Amino acid sequence: MVRRLATLCFALLVLLGGPLPAAAQDGSPVAGGPSGPAVGTAVSWIGNEGTELAQVTVTEVTDPFQDYDPNSPPQRGFHFVLLAVTVDNTGAVPVTVDPNAFNLVDADGFVARTSYLYRSADVTAADPDLQYAELAPGASVSGVVGFQLLNGAEVERILFAPDSSRLITLVDERAVGIPLGTDVSYLGPEGAEVGEVTVNQLVDPFQDYDPSSPPERGTHYVVLELTVTNTGTRPLAADPGAFYLLDAQGFLAYPSYLYRTDATNPPDFQYNDALAPGESQSGIIAYQLLNGTEIAAVIFTPNYGQQQIIVGEPGAAGSSQAGPQSTPSSVEPPEEPTKAAAASPEDCEGIERWALEMVGRLTQLPTIVGPISALENQPNPTIDPVATREIADQLQALADDQRNSNPPPAAEELNTLVADALQNFSNAINNLADAGEANDAAAITAAGEEFVEASKVFDPDGEARKLEQALEAACPVLKTLGDN
């Protein structure tokens, strides 16, 4: 039940927390995901000196692409995807344009690399292939790049890797970000879940290093504390070298050895090529990061780099990033969950029915708010006060139903919290309708912020999570509902 509730509310948080304040008044492309760009967005390619070298734009994605030479179909079980891209050299030096630098990442994190696509002469003439070339300052080049994607897979991200130290996100279609502390499961090549990764803490900067081994000039240490769990049926490799930090400009940071004053609490994350099923391994991985750098994501690359999985984003809703006064060796013990009512059979009677009905109400939220989230794709969005108030009325009805759901005694506190949250969502949408009617941009932003504030109870360390954990402990039958 915990994961279902958290997932639903994070999705809704993104729907309302992002597009409303921006309002896209300049008509520029808006984000396609929680923090990433959409198709049509010109993305900066920053050089090592910190200046822009070029702008790269994915102008169109054709999935599936079917206008290929029938004598050269995709391999069995796959289909072609075609990207149309443009590179504009906006800098002062030539840049290398390499079609092989573009990658697709599907919703399971698997990477699809470029694949030559045979097309007829007429089709190729209309949309030429992107060629490897040196692009002079001020010049621009466009072309298409082909891929083969497993049938049933969905393109989630499009990446540009001009060299081994770069991973620039050109398109991000995800609905939600990955807060630090999220249990991120991942699949093996056969399609079954094999493991789970949790970034327990990110310490930036980390200052409890041995003074005889400081970081290089202009850099500082960053430490990840993470846990890898084997959730499959075969031994699993746990490799610290498979985790990278990605900064906001698309530069990668690789693991770096760190001499600590206390290297035992917690220990370094050691390579283990045979983590047994059901077992977990925890530890820290250190990096050296350029001063002033903002960490965008923690990237996990299992299966010899066949996957690029985001396992934590410091900027995602609910994330917490420790500062200089907090180190892994001095982590405070987690706060005790809020106590639920007594776990007698009478107090838990009817808990399954109540929980399923609550999840059913929350499942309706993305559909109810869909018309508002659609504003994100409009260059100059207009808020319809009447339609917006109808959405608020639907949220109000959910709040009333939740409040009157007759929860068992053990669930009364969580029931009140969820009902209050739904009520606060309705209030925020009503305020949005008022702001739209008055054409008040500041009030529109305030309404979005009001919704974000109301959603914080569903953060990973928020009050709902604590109450759910306590309730599952009091009424163990709820644990069987977690994956339903």
Side-chain angles (χ1 to χ4, degrees), residues 77 172 258 371 380 394 449:
D172 186 347
L258 170 67
N380 293 290
Q394 294 179 68
E449 293 173 348

Side-chain angles (χ1 to χ4, degrees), residues 341-408:
S344 67
E346 293 79 12
D347 286 342
C348 294
E349 185 175 353
I351 194 77
E352 293 173 276
R353 174 197 57 78
W354 170 86
L356 290 172
E357 289 179 355
M358 179 180 69
V359 170
R361 292 185 190 97
L362 295 174
T363 303
Q364 301 176 46
L365 292 176
T367 300
I368 292 173
V369 187
I372 293 180
S373 66
L375 296 175
E376 182 182 16
N377 298 318
Q378 300 177 14
N380 293 290
T382 300
I383 295 172
D384 182 341
V386 174
T388 303
R389 289 193 178 95
E390 289 177 353
I391 291 172
D393 289 343
Q394 294 179 68
L395 293 171
Q396 180 66 60
L398 291 181
D400 293 341
D401 288 346
Q402 188 64 44
R403 204 174 304 279
N404 299 324
S405 62
N406 192 28

Side-chain angles (χ1 to χ4, degrees), residues 8-24:
L8 289 169
C9 292
F10 274 129
L12 192 61
L13 171 63
V14 171
L15 285 175
L16 287 184
L20 296 180

Side-chain angles (χ1 to χ4, degrees), residues 5-356:
L5 181 58
T7 300
L8 289 169
C9 292
F10 274 129
L12 192 61
L13 171 63
V14 171
L15 285 175
L16 287 184
L20 296 180
Q25 293 298 320
D26 61 358
S28 60
V30 293
S35 57
V39 173
T41 303
V43 177
S44 291
W45 172 5
I46 305 298
N48 289 352
E49 296 176 341
T51 57
E52 185 177 82
L53 299 177
Q55 292 187 349
V56 185
T57 308
V58 176
T59 58
E60 186 177 9
V61 180
T62 305
D63 180 12
F65 177 78
Q66 298 179 322
D67 202 7
Y68 54 85
D69 186 330
N71 294 316
S72 299
Q75 69 184 82
R76 184 181 181 187
F78 288 74
H79 64 275
F80 287 125
V81 176
L82 196 71
L83 301 186
V85 301
T86 297
V87 181
D88 298 295
N89 187 332
T90 57
V93 298
V95 296
T96 300
V97 177
D98 183 356
N100 294 314
F102 295 87
N103 297 319
L104 304 182
V105 181
D106 69 23
D108 292 322
F110 285 91
V111 179
R113 308 192 190 280
T114 53
S115 174
Y116 191 78
L117 190 72
Y118 289 92
R119 299 175 294 150
S120 69
D122 291 342
V123 172
T124 301
D127 294 300
D129 294 325
L130 185 68
Q131 301 294 327
Y132 184 96
E134 291 291 318
L135 190 63
S140 177
V141 64
S142 297
V144 299
V145 184
F147 301 83
Q148 289 195 59
L149 195 67
L150 184 69
N151 290 343
E154 297 180 3
V155 177
E156 185 177 78
R157 288 175 287 144
I158 301 174
L159 307 178
F160 177 58
D163 57 62
S164 61
S165 68
R166 306 302 308 276
L167 200 64
I168 302 171
T169 301
L170 301 178
V171 173
D172 186 347
E173 295 290 353
R174 293 175 301 144
V176 294
I178 307 295
L180 301 180
T182 302
D183 299 331
V184 179
S185 62
Y186 67 99
L187 308 181
E190 296 175 338
E193 181 179 312
V194 296
E196 186 176 84
V197 175
T198 308
V199 179
N200 304 314
Q201 185 178 196
L202 188 154
V203 183
D204 179 13
F206 177 81
Q207 298 180 328
D208 197 16
Y209 56 83
D210 188 324
S212 65
S213 298
E216 296 177 3
R217 183 182 181 188
T219 71
H220 62 278
Y221 286 122
V222 175
V223 161
L224 290 182
E225 182 185 357
L226 56 83
T227 299
V228 174
T229 302
N230 185 338
T231 59
T233 59
R234 295 170 51 84
L236 183 71
D239 183 4
F243 293 88
Y244 309 136
L245 299 183
L246 180 69
D247 73 19
Q249 293 185 343
F251 286 89
L252 291 166
Y254 298 92
S256 173
Y257 192 78
L258 170 67
Y259 291 93
R260 292 181 286 154
T261 54
D262 180 2
T264 62
N265 183 28
D268 292 332
F269 193 97
Q270 301 293 336
Y271 178 81
N272 184 349
D273 63 355
L275 185 65
E279 290 189 349
S280 296
Q281 178 174 313
S282 299
I284 71 162
I285 306 174
Y287 305 81
Q288 290 192 54
L289 212 62
L290 185 69
N291 291 343
T293 299
E294 177 185 355
I295 299 172
V298 181
I299 307 292
F300 176 46
T301 60
N303 300 315
Y304 304 100
Q306 293 181 40
Q307 290 169 276
Q308 293 274 3
I309 302 172
I310 298 175
V311 293
E313 294 171 285
S319 284
S320 59
Q321 179 173 330
Q325 303 306 315
S326 177
T327 68
S329 59
S330 60
V331 176
E332 295 291 335
E335 183 180 343
E336 288 295 322
T338 302
K339 299 298 183 183
S344 67
E346 293 79 12
D347 286 342
C348 294
E349 185 175 353
I351 194 77
E352 293 173 276
R353 174 197 57 78
W354 170 86
L356 290 172

